[in-house]
Amino acid sequence: MKNMGTIFRLFADYLSQYFKTRLAYRADFLGELVSNLVFELINLVFIIVVFQHVPTLKEWTMYEVIFIYGFFLIPYALFSMFFGFWDFNERYIIRGEMDRILTRPVHNLAQVCLESIAPDRIFGVISGLIIMGYAAFQLKLSFTWYDPFIFIGLVISSVLIYAGVYTAIAAVSFFSDSRTGISPMIWNLQNYGRYPVEIYNKFIGFLLTYILPFAFVGFYPSAYFLKKEQWYTFTMLTPVMGVIFFAIGLAVWQYGVKKYQGAGS
């Protein structure tokens, strides 16, 4: 508990410093926000264009797919706020920054997360909520009083899945000095989670469910709110998958740290 309190205090300090540095260049900060919004809108337009040529995707309508996309944006934005591992190999392994991290008393993974914190990604959450709300209105979805709590639980579970997968992938860098890594390939695969898994062949469906479970960060949680009862079992498995894959990610990370021999001279 004492270590957790220290981490939360450090989080507040890093957050304060982040906004001080970013707001020193307001135009750059706003430009990045706009570019992120445009990127999300382009993906939304792509979905709309697809449905101009086909009425449904395996009986899934346009607004149902848009709803899934909206949900998909929320856990990804929250994950990106705290787990910016995109340049981990280059920054911490090749440049030797991991040696500095390991000399400090705070847990090494927490330090890496704090140093890459990106609070501006919270706007991805807002975009996702707006897109979900728009699709829900068009679909005339109804919600119960406990649905917001289920929504929060599913979002947290999805964030844990992202964190576990990418923590494990980042840990691979402890055993390799490659400058590229496999993160770009995994990033492309994760985008499959914003569509119904049944539109893919069985191999892709298995991959997205049990190996790289990105179907649990978009499709399966959304199925609950879309009243797709045949997928409820997988929706309920989302928290379980979140805990399992986050635990796997931490275990791989800890093993990698133990095997890490330093940047050398």
Side-chain angles (χ1 to χ4, degrees), residues 150-165:
I150 294 177
F151 172 76
I152 292 172
L154 291 173
V155 167
I156 293 173
S157 302
S158 298
V159 173
L160 289 177
I161 290 172
Y162 272 125
V165 170

Side-chain angles (χ1 to χ4, degrees), residues 1-259:
M1 291 299 293
K2 183 178 179 181
N3 289 336
M4 288 301 297
T6 300
I7 291 173
F8 281 121
R9 287 194 296 272
L10 286 173
F11 167 76
D13 291 338
Y14 271 98
L15 193 62
S16 174
Q17 292 301 316
Y18 173 87
F19 281 110
K20 287 180 181 178
T21 55
R22 292 306 307 272
L23 292 179
Y25 303 94
R26 291 179 176 83
D28 179 65
F29 180 69
L30 292 174
E32 185 173 343
L33 292 180
V34 171
S35 66
N36 289 336
L37 178 61
V38 169
F39 177 76
E40 291 162 3
L41 290 176
I42 289 174
N43 288 324
L44 180 59
V45 169
F46 172 78
I47 294 174
I48 294 173
V49 169
V50 167
F51 278 95
Q52 299 304 310
H53 297 83
V54 293
T56 60
L57 286 176
K58 287 279 186 176
E59 299 183 356
W60 291 82
T61 67
M62 180 178 73
Y63 290 114
E64 287 174 335
V65 175
I66 289 176
F67 186 93
I68 296 170
Y69 174 63
F71 185 96
F72 171 87
L73 289 177
I74 296 171
Y76 177 69
L78 292 173
F79 156 76
S80 300
M81 285 177 61
F82 302 104
F83 293 86
F85 289 151
W86 316 118
D87 62 344
F88 175 79
N89 196 37
E90 174 73 23
R91 179 179 177 182
Y92 290 96
I93 304 301
I94 296 175
R95 296 181 185 176
E97 289 291 298
M98 197 65 196
D99 293 355
R100 170 180 58 83
I101 293 293
L102 294 175
T103 62
R104 295 177 174 178
V106 180
H107 192 276
N108 43 77
L109 180 58
Q111 290 186 67
V112 172
C113 292
L114 288 170
E115 289 189 353
S116 59
I117 191 171
D120 56 296
R121 299 298 176 87
I122 192 66
F123 289 95
V125 175
I126 297 173
S127 300
L129 289 172
I130 292 173
I131 292 172
M132 284 181 64
Y134 169 71
F137 176 78
Q138 295 294 332
L139 293 167
K140 297 180 173 58
L141 296 179
S142 60
F143 302 99
T144 62
W145 64 269
Y146 51 80
D147 281 343
F149 299 101
I150 294 177
F151 172 76
I152 292 172
L154 291 173
V155 167
I156 293 173
S157 302
S158 298
V159 173
L160 289 177
I161 290 172
Y162 272 125
V165 170
Y166 281 102
T167 296
I169 291 171
V172 173
S173 300
F174 291 120
F175 310 97
S176 171
D177 59 358
S178 172
R179 289 182 176 271
T180 55
I182 61 175
S183 292
M185 179 184 68
I186 302 301
W187 187 86
N188 288 327
L189 284 174
Q190 80 178 24
N191 290 321
Y192 286 73
R194 67 190 189 201
Y195 297 106
V197 72
E198 60 184 330
I199 71 173
Y200 308 119
N201 62 41
K202 292 183 178 180
F203 172 76
I204 297 297
F206 181 84
L207 177 69
L208 294 175
T209 300
Y210 300 106
I211 309 302
L212 293 170
F214 292 124
F216 287 94
V217 303
F219 172 62
Y220 290 139
S222 299
Y224 169 79
F225 302 103
L226 293 171
K227 316 299 182 186
K228 302 293 184 177
E229 296 184 4
Q230 67 270 35
W231 301 107
Y232 279 7
T233 300
F234 290 96
T235 300
M236 291 186 290
L237 280 175
T238 302
V240 177
M241 298 295 284
V243 172
I244 290 174
F245 275 83
F246 188 63
I248 292 173
L250 286 179
V252 175
W253 177 274
Q254 290 293 93
Y255 181 74
V257 170
K258 290 180 180 179
K259 294 296 181 180

